[in-house]
Amino acid sequence: MGRWICCLCSKVADLLMLLLVLALSCNPSTAATPSPSVPHVKPSYSFGRTFLGLDKCNACIGTSICKKFFKEEIRFDTWLSSHLKLPPSYLLSYSGNYTDDAKSWRLVDITRLTSKYRQDRADKRICTSLLKTKTCSLERALRHTHRFQKWLQAKRLTPDLVQGLSSPMLRCPSQRLLDRIVRRYAEVPDAGSIYMDHLTDRDKLRLLYTLSVNSHPILLQIFPNVEGWPFPRYLGSCGRLVVSASTRPLRDFYGADPEVAADLALQLLTVLHSMGTNDLNYFFYFTHVDAGTFGVFSNGHLFIRDASTLGIIDKEEGSQMIDGQHEYKDIFSCLTVDCQSAFVSCNSIRETHSLIMVCQELLPKLLKGKFRQPVQEKIDGFLQHCADSLADDQGVNEVVAKLAELLKPLRSCDSRFAYRYPDCKYSDKY
């Protein structure tokens, strides 16, 4: 009997122990702590070397601003989208944001020097022309060209080294202009000398490639905004992308209020005058203008948004290249244009060349139907006379001066024109 009771007590004890274990395992306060979850990582852009054009360096523009792309201190407007995808690579330009302190941001333009289609065609042309293959190392192919070998041996950038390049800026080069390019080339860590000793072989290829494809970033570097030149500020390059201060194209203002249109038209005439008459004695002229050539900053100030079609004549030294030298052509002459394109003679550029084009292409669209009669009729008449390519330079200049005087009182003085407000309240200049 006693043995049976002991056996029963033992089974009861085992049952109680089992119930206690089950109870503890079901109690959330005593349950095992789950393994910590993986922390959420903020998604970011996946910058491919192909998108930036870094896979084509050193046949590219530069790398001075690449760190800001990879540190996310330059962001495209699609940054706030759910997937943070990069924009399409075939676009010529992108809107972006730029920061130096991760707190304050400013708008920038991110641009390609030419369309992706043209770039790809030019890359293929390099391979097929020089190595007879469909694909190749662009750098290796270009390094073996006669022109680049001359660049490697040169101590100074001279007119013969740029002869035949398609850039309008280099059609009538002076030694003074070429020295300025080398001295102010911003894609190298140490500039300031007219001699190319501070340029590595890589730097020389990038400079030559940029001058061959599109001189826009070079113009922004050698005639900087901070010195009063009417160009947006150059911030740097990465691969085949250029970053500069943001402007809205002039086409966005064709439907603007009359006082805004008058202000922009007057600024446009002022810019053209300054490009023909400046302290450095350079004469700038356009080979082509359209609605994207000029842009407007957020403060209302008008600038040259696209400098790729600007030619330069040195009024102090003159051109040091005779017209016959333009006939020299090589692979660098044909990266973005038809190799058969004829060069315009330096001596054929008129003083009013750019004024006439602007009066033909831009000012009529900006000022059309904006004002009451008889003011509108007078404006239209001045524009018609200005656009007459057969008129002599003195006649064109006189008409433009009368147009400017007519436009001045049509402007207003308010906060929309921050670049001159409130100064315009206290100065007869405005």
Side-chain angles (χ1 to χ4, degrees), residues 121-363:
R121 283 188 62 187
D123 293 343
K124 290 178 181 178
R125 189 181 298 122
I126 292 171
C127 295
T128 55
S129 299
L130 301 178
L131 300 181
K132 311 303 180 185
T133 60
K134 292 184 178 180
T135 59
C136 67
S137 166
L138 300 179
E139 179 177 359
R140 189 180 307 138
L142 294 176
R143 284 179 67 91
H144 285 88
T145 60
H146 176 66
R147 187 192 294 267
F148 187 65
Q149 289 301 312
K150 288 179 64 177
W151 272 62
L152 290 179
Q153 298 168 12
K155 293 291 184 181
R156 194 173 182 183
L157 186 60
T158 51
D160 63 296
L161 296 178
V162 299
Q163 64 175 315
L165 296 185
S166 62
S167 168
M169 183 181 74
L170 299 173
R171 291 182 185 177
C172 314
S174 68
Q175 188 59 59
R176 187 168 71 113
L177 176 63
L178 297 179
D179 287 344
R180 189 176 182 89
I181 291 174
V182 173
R183 192 171 64 247
R184 294 189 167 216
Y185 182 43
E187 287 297 315
V188 295
D190 180 25
S193 171
I194 63 173
Y195 297 101
M196 295 197 290
D197 297 335
H198 62 288
L199 300 183
T200 64
D201 294 358
R202 175 199 64 194
D203 298 328
K204 289 182 179 180
L205 180 56
R206 291 178 181 177
L207 177 57
L208 173 56
Y209 178 84
T210 307
L211 290 172
S212 303
V213 175
N214 189 323
S215 58
H216 171 77
I218 302 300
L219 275 160
L220 268 56
Q221 294 169 43
I222 67 176
F223 297 107
N225 172 274
V226 293
E227 293 181 3
W229 297 96
F231 301 109
R233 182 185 173 192
Y234 177 80
L235 297 171
S237 301
C238 184
R240 290 180 169 181
L241 292 180
V242 179
V243 183
S244 59
S246 176
T247 58
R248 289 177 59 192
L250 187 63
R251 69 171 66 91
D252 290 358
F253 296 87
Y254 283 168
D257 293 338
E259 58 269 25
V260 175
D263 183 83
L264 293 176
L266 193 58
Q267 284 192 73
L268 188 51
L269 296 177
T270 303
V271 165
L272 293 182
H273 176 75
S274 70
M275 302 307 279
T277 307
N278 52 75
D279 293 341
L280 293 185
N281 245 353
Y282 287 115
F283 173 66
F284 296 78
Y285 66 93
F286 286 98
T287 59
H288 170 78
V289 294
D290 57 38
T293 302
F294 297 90
V296 183
F297 282 135
S298 58
N299 65 356
H301 209 169
L302 181 137
F303 280 74
I304 297 173
R305 189 171 190 256
D306 179 5
S308 62
T309 62
L310 266 181
I312 302 177
I313 295 176
D314 191 335
K315 295 195 292 185
E316 187 172 302
E317 287 190 2
S319 172
Q320 297 186 19
M321 181 181 292
I322 59 175
D323 289 337
Q325 288 180 285
H326 287 303
E327 297 175 2
Y328 176 86
K329 297 287 178 69
D330 65 356
I331 189 64
F332 289 100
S333 310
C334 317
L335 291 183
T336 56
V337 297
D338 180 6
C339 289
Q340 305 305 316
S341 299
F343 287 108
V344 177
S345 170
C346 302
N347 297 324
S348 67
I349 306 299
R350 295 172 55 183
E351 177 188 340
T352 56
H353 181 85
S354 298
L355 277 173
I356 292 172
M357 283 198 298
V358 166
C359 287
Q360 290 173 341
E361 301 294 333
L362 303 182
L363 288 180

Side-chain angles (χ1 to χ4, degrees), residues 18-32:
L18 179 61
L19 291 172
L20 179 61
V21 171
L22 289 173
L24 288 173
S25 65
C26 293
N27 190 343
S29 63
T30 58

Side-chain angles (χ1 to χ4, degrees), residues 341-406:
S341 299
F343 287 108
V344 177
S345 170
C346 302
N347 297 324
S348 67
I349 306 299
R350 295 172 55 183
E351 177 188 340
T352 56
H353 181 85
S354 298
L355 277 173
I356 292 172
M357 283 198 298
V358 166
C359 287
Q360 290 173 341
E361 301 294 333
L362 303 182
L363 288 180
K365 298 173 184 177
L366 182 64
L367 299 175
K368 182 179 180 180
K370 285 289 194 306
F371 308 96
R372 295 180 179 179
Q373 300 298 355
V375 173
Q376 185 68 53
E377 184 178 358
K378 290 182 179 179
I379 290 175
D380 294 341
F382 287 147
L383 290 179
Q384 188 173 359
H385 285 302
C386 172
D388 184 3
S389 59
L390 298 178
D392 62 276
D393 288 349
Q394 182 178 352
V396 172
N397 286 325
E398 289 176 355
V399 167
V400 168
K402 292 178 181 178
L403 176 61
E405 287 302 313
L406 184 60

Side-chain angles (χ1 to χ4, degrees), residues 49-67:
R49 291 169 58 81
T50 302
F51 180 84
L52 294 170
L54 283 172
D55 58 326
K56 304 299 174 62
C57 281
N58 292 306
C60 62
I61 309 165
T63 56
S64 61
I65 209 166
C66 287
K67 286 185 179 179

